Amino acid sequence: FGHKFRLKKISLAGQSGQEEKGRKARRAFFEKLAAEYKARFIVTAHTQDDQLETIFFNFLRGSGPGGLAGMRPVNGQYFKPLLATAKKTLLEYLRKKRQPFCRDVMNKDTSYSRVLLRKKIIPLCRKINPSLESTLTRQAFLFENIEKLLAKKAAEFLRKNAHGGAVFPIKELEKLPESIQLTVIQEAYRAYTKLKYRLDLKNARAVLEMIQKGVGDKRLQISKKSSFLLKNGQLSIV
């Protein structure tokens, strides 16, 4: 088609976490190219079916409202213009145009979580609710608005109470509803580490439990480079 094309081949070590390793490798490759070409957006072909799988996957791994809101059409430099388009609509269009396309052979391997959802679990759920897509789309909209409200409240708290980077008083944090406390912890961690993604809900809850025990100084290691420190009535990220 006369377009520039760049290909990268990688080898993923080990058998565990292949999906996540592949995801991180793809994103790193895309973002490197975006910087090289000074691109405003990285456009991906995620469809409504991918959105459905994402919401199910996030639900099963215990994500908060942000995960249950699914993917956003625009998230930073990533743009997903086909997110509201069903895969079958896309395939019908390609067949009508007689446009050849590739199929990923891994899409048949149910040892991968997403493929198992796609092939086995979601079809069973459709038998219970034939309007599964529209139902989850409505719910995702509600969860997105809940997430925005929590993020707004968390940002207000951090503006008022955080100092010296990511240090804030436990006494003030404990005045908030627990859902906002968790969001404060997640947002403070993202701001401190400059990561694009929040701290996962499991770790955020572990930090909150450490605070709630409230006896002596404590430290919770999150990664090789960062941990939460509870000391003298203050929570800090170090």
Side-chain angles (χ1 to χ4, degrees):
F1 299 109
H3 299 299
K4 286 185 179 180
F5 179 74
R6 296 278 286 272
L7 173 70
K8 181 179 177 67
K9 293 185 178 182
I10 62 168
S11 176
L12 300 176
Q15 295 299 312
S16 62
Q18 293 281 313
E19 291 170 287
E20 183 62 19
K21 288 175 185 175
R23 178 178 172 276
K24 287 180 178 178
R26 283 195 301 274
R27 290 182 74 97
F29 178 55
F30 294 155
E31 288 166 19
K32 180 183 176 183
L33 289 181
E36 183 180 329
Y37 288 100
K38 296 181 175 59
R40 182 182 175 190
F41 287 118
I42 296 167
V43 183
T44 67
H46 292 91
T47 64
Q48 189 180 63
D49 297 59
D50 297 309
Q51 179 75 300
L52 190 64
E53 291 164 19
T54 297
I55 293 170
F56 261 89
F57 191 72
N58 288 342
F59 171 75
L60 293 172
R61 67 179 185 178
S63 292
L68 297 178
M71 295 179 280
R72 279 67 165 175
V74 179
N75 187 9
Q77 66 185 138
Y78 284 88
F79 176 37
K80 302 177 175 67
L82 299 176
L83 206 53
T85 304
K87 184 179 178 180
K88 66 178 182 180
T89 303
L90 189 60
L91 294 177
E92 285 168 6
Y93 174 82
L94 292 171
R95 280 192 282 269
K96 186 177 178 181
K97 292 287 184 180
R98 297 184 179 179
Q99 173 64 54
F101 56 90
C102 298
R103 291 185 183 272
D104 188 341
V105 293
M106 289 171 63
N107 285 342
K108 295 181 179 179
D109 188 350
T110 53
S111 67
Y112 292 99
S113 305
R114 278 187 176 269
V115 182
L116 182 62
L117 278 171
R118 184 182 309 139
K119 297 289 187 182
K120 304 287 185 181
I121 298 172
I122 291 177
L124 285 173
C125 291
R126 281 201 183 98
K127 288 184 178 181
I128 299 170
N129 181 358
S131 304
L132 190 62
E133 282 84 357
S134 59
T135 299
L136 285 187
T137 298
R138 288 195 303 272
Q139 290 184 338
F141 175 76
L142 291 173
F143 280 121
E144 184 178 358
N145 280 279
I146 291 169
E147 175 68 9
K148 286 178 180 177
L149 178 61
L150 292 173
K152 181 182 177 182
K153 295 294 184 183
E156 288 172 359
F157 174 87
L158 290 169
R159 274 198 303 271
K160 185 177 178 181
N161 296 283
H163 59 90
V167 182
F168 46 88
I170 297 305
K171 183 174 67 175
E172 294 302 317
L173 182 69
E174 289 178 329
K175 292 178 182 178
L176 300 172
E178 190 170 299
S179 57
I180 302 178
Q181 290 183 43
L182 288 167
T183 310
V184 166
I185 292 166
Q186 291 175 306
E187 288 294 341
Y189 185 79
R190 176 160 60 180
Y192 177 80
T193 57
K194 295 182 171 56
L195 293 173
K196 293 180 181 177
Y197 300 100
R198 281 182 177 178
L199 181 67
D200 63 85
L201 194 59
K202 182 181 177 181
N203 275 315
R205 189 163 289 283
V207 175
L208 192 58
E209 287 171 359
M210 177 180 73
I211 293 168
Q212 289 168 345
K213 287 177 183 176
V215 181
D217 299 342
K218 291 184 174 63
R219 180 189 289 264
L220 180 65
Q221 198 74 34
I222 297 296
S223 68
K224 290 180 180 179
K225 296 181 179 179
S226 59
S227 60
F228 281 86
L229 178 65
L230 182 61
K231 188 175 182 179
N232 299 328
Q234 303 257 46
L235 183 68
S236 58
I237 305 169
V238 293

